Amino acid sequence: MRKRTAFLIYSSFILILVIIFPMRGIVALVDDKDKMRINSIEGFWWKGSLEGVALEERSLGNIKINFSPISLIKRKFAFNLDVKGPELNLKGMFGFKANGNIFIENTNLTINPRFKAQSGKAVFQNISNIRANIKSLYFNDKKCINADGTGTGEMIDVFGLLSQKLQINLALDCKDDLFEISFQSNPNNVLEGEVVIKPNLEFNLEARSKRLSNKIIEATKLNFKKEPSFKISGRLDEL
């Protein structure tokens, strides 16, 4: 009887500690390199809010997180996420399954990235926007498992090589265990390509343009055996 009582007291103590664990503690665990700046943090790990969040030089805005208890029935540990900021608006669900796989589901996002130009003073200008619907994205630290989603975007060609404003269509998929975002312009002969993202956040982007290739061939009189492409690689967390 004493052992059972002691066990119940100990279990209740641990449960209380888990329930009242603050959101500030979660942030400290996630941001162990102090890359985030946050004006205020309120709530607990299961329901909390962060205001004035900035990552490096990027302002993310305000973030609300709310645990979904019903997800436990599906053997998931899911959170409803709501992000509102000057460059990013996101609303959806994320979490992990019992087998450790991470997922993002039923998520809508709008991205309006801005760049900084030096011309006597700092000027922020919209260079593109992306709207996407992620129906499902499952992955772990080794591979992309499943991806389903679409999106649209608008790019501003500051060099005047393609078009002043270019509409693009996006599609999400997993290929060869890697997360791939394919894009194609409308009209479809202007720009197309893929962005392949590894689990460690390394990415490779390859873009092709039949219109630009024709201009190069016409100007140089060269006959390419393969359509020229533009390639970029790096890390997402360093952009």
Side-chain angles (χ1 to χ4, degrees):
M1 180 64 70
R2 291 182 178 179
K3 290 183 178 180
R4 180 179 298 180
T5 302
F7 176 77
L8 290 175
I9 294 175
Y10 178 77
S11 301
S12 300
F13 178 72
I14 296 298
L15 180 61
I16 292 173
L17 287 180
V18 171
I19 292 175
I20 66 173
F21 193 78
M23 178 61 70
R24 187 177 298 275
I26 297 296
V27 173
L29 292 174
V30 174
D31 184 31
D32 57 347
K33 295 182 180 179
D34 294 329
K35 292 185 177 182
M36 296 178 64
R37 291 183 291 105
I38 305 173
N39 291 338
S40 66
I41 304 174
E42 297 181 356
F44 305 96
W45 66 267
W46 45 273
K47 185 177 182 179
S49 62
L50 295 79
E51 295 186 0
V53 181
L55 181 62
E56 298 288 353
E57 299 297 324
R58 291 290 185 183
S59 175
L60 300 181
N62 301 327
I63 301 175
K64 293 182 179 180
I65 301 175
N66 190 4
F67 174 62
S68 174
I70 196 172
S71 64
L72 297 175
I73 300 176
K74 301 179 181 180
R75 300 183 66 187
K76 296 179 179 179
F77 203 79
F79 291 85
N80 294 305
L81 177 65
D82 190 358
V83 181
K84 293 182 179 180
E87 296 182 276
L88 173 65
N89 283 289
L90 182 151
K91 190 171 185 178
M93 181 172 289
F94 78 100
F96 56 90
K97 298 186 68 176
N99 58 9
N101 292 336
I102 302 171
F103 69 86
I104 300 173
E105 289 183 338
N106 303 320
T107 297
N108 293 304
L109 64 88
T110 301
I111 303 175
N112 293 289
R114 301 169 185 264
F115 75 95
K116 191 175 182 180
Q118 293 291 341
S119 179
K121 61 179 181 178
V123 178
F124 289 89
Q125 176 184 347
N126 287 333
I127 60 172
S128 64
N129 68 74
I130 295 175
R131 290 181 173 86
N133 172 255
I134 304 175
K135 294 181 180 179
S136 64
L137 173 59
Y138 286 78
F139 61 95
N140 54 36
D141 59 350
K142 295 181 179 180
K143 64 179 181 179
C144 178
I145 300 169
N146 175 268
D148 182 14
T150 58
T152 60
E154 183 180 87
M155 298 176 59
I156 298 178
D157 178 21
V158 295
F159 300 105
L161 298 175
L162 303 173
S163 176
Q164 185 176 2
K165 287 187 178 182
L166 192 63
Q167 301 292 328
I168 57 173
N169 297 318
L170 308 172
L172 312 183
D173 199 2
C174 288
K175 289 188 177 180
D176 299 325
D177 294 337
L178 298 176
F179 179 45
E180 180 182 278
I181 304 174
S182 58
F183 55 91
Q184 187 172 19
S185 65
N186 184 18
N188 58 17
N189 66 337
V190 180
L191 185 68
E192 65 177 13
E194 307 83 25
V195 181
V196 178
I197 304 174
K198 299 179 182 179
N200 62 359
L201 298 183
E202 292 181 357
F203 74 91
N204 292 289
L205 181 150
E206 181 174 356
R208 301 170 295 277
S209 172
K210 291 183 180 180
R211 179 182 294 185
L212 185 57
S213 298
N214 292 335
K215 289 183 179 180
I216 295 175
I217 292 173
E218 183 179 347
T220 62
K221 306 302 180 183
L222 297 175
N223 186 17
F224 297 104
K225 294 183 179 180
K226 187 178 179 181
E227 184 178 350
S229 63
F230 177 75
K231 298 181 179 180
I232 297 178
S233 61
R235 290 184 56 86
L236 290 180
D237 56 352
E238 293 178 355
L239 287 177

